[in-house]
Amino acid sequence: NTVVSTVETVGPATVAIQVAAPGATVAPPGAPPGEGAPGGSQGSGVIITPDGYLLSNAHVVGDASEMSVTLTDGRVLRGTTVGRDVATDLALVRLQTPGSVPFATLGDSEALRVGQLVVAIGNPLGFASTVSAGVVSAKGRSLRAKDGRLIEDIVQTDVALNPGNSGGPLVDSASRVVGINTAIIQGAQNLSFSVPSATAQWVVSELLAHGHVRRSFLGLGCQLFPVSRLFQRAHLFDPPTAVQAVNVVPAGPAARAGVRQGDVLLAIDGNPLRSVDEIHRLLPTPGKRIRLRLVRPSDARNPNGEG
């Protein structure tokens, strides 16, 4: 059974995270799950290296520098925050462990297809994983979080998520982590959302190298939308989907350059944009100029009105 084998492979790497309330202390190593964090927050995470680096949500870790982490084998370890990135709702934590720990492999979220089977695993209480299976409903979603920020290129599934599953892995049938589950979207029925692994890999590399995510600021909120063959031929654009600006920050770099809401972004410095993630990856370090190729809905070479 695909779901069973996936859970057996990734389940041991899925952990429970307890963050103590302000003024309280985290549970000491070896303490029973739930001890030492009254009034704090709980969530899940997934270990991604054998030496104990794990991914979770930024809203699970919060501002805590330390937390209690429970593995499915019953071990309770102390975790320290390496860094967090609120813009992607991701956090990187290092476990204090003398030996190796079970870990999962990050997969390629951009290879996901709508209708593909995925499994969400959580570990809100320790010792046992909670599992839900479903399919990918959509890719490239842009959703606004509770604090008003826009988290982009989200993977939407019909997997059932509980609040305690926040920060746990979304896994494909090959037992690879293709997303980090988030439960911050309120009022969603039979709709679940995950930060893609492509974003997670980039965030992890930035946090490990710099302790924070360095990023240039365009001042755009974007989403993916399908384009027709006519659009592709008219603009010599091969990808089947394009990136569209849905929000333009007033007085931001993009606004000052003349970008408008509804514009379709085709390339940055000659590199085609196939996903919202690619905008983040293609942007240079802050302070450098870029050349942005775009199509405006009134463009005469856009006869079907797409964009």
Side-chain angles (χ1 to χ4, degrees), residues 218 248 251-260 263 289-290 292 294 296:
L218 273 182
V248 181
R256 293 197 302 268
V259 179
R260 301 176 187 172
D263 285 350
R289 291 180 176 269
I290 63 168
L292 183 63
L294 59 81
R296 187 146 290 157

Side-chain angles (χ1 to χ4, degrees), residues 287-300:
K288 294 187 177 180
R289 291 180 176 269
I290 63 168
R291 183 176 296 274
L292 183 63
R293 181 182 172 223
L294 59 81
V295 175
R296 187 146 290 157
S298 57
D299 192 321

Side-chain angles (χ1 to χ4, degrees), residues 18-21 23-28 31-40 68:
Q18 283 190 321
V19 178
T25 58
V26 299
E35 181 178 309
S68 175

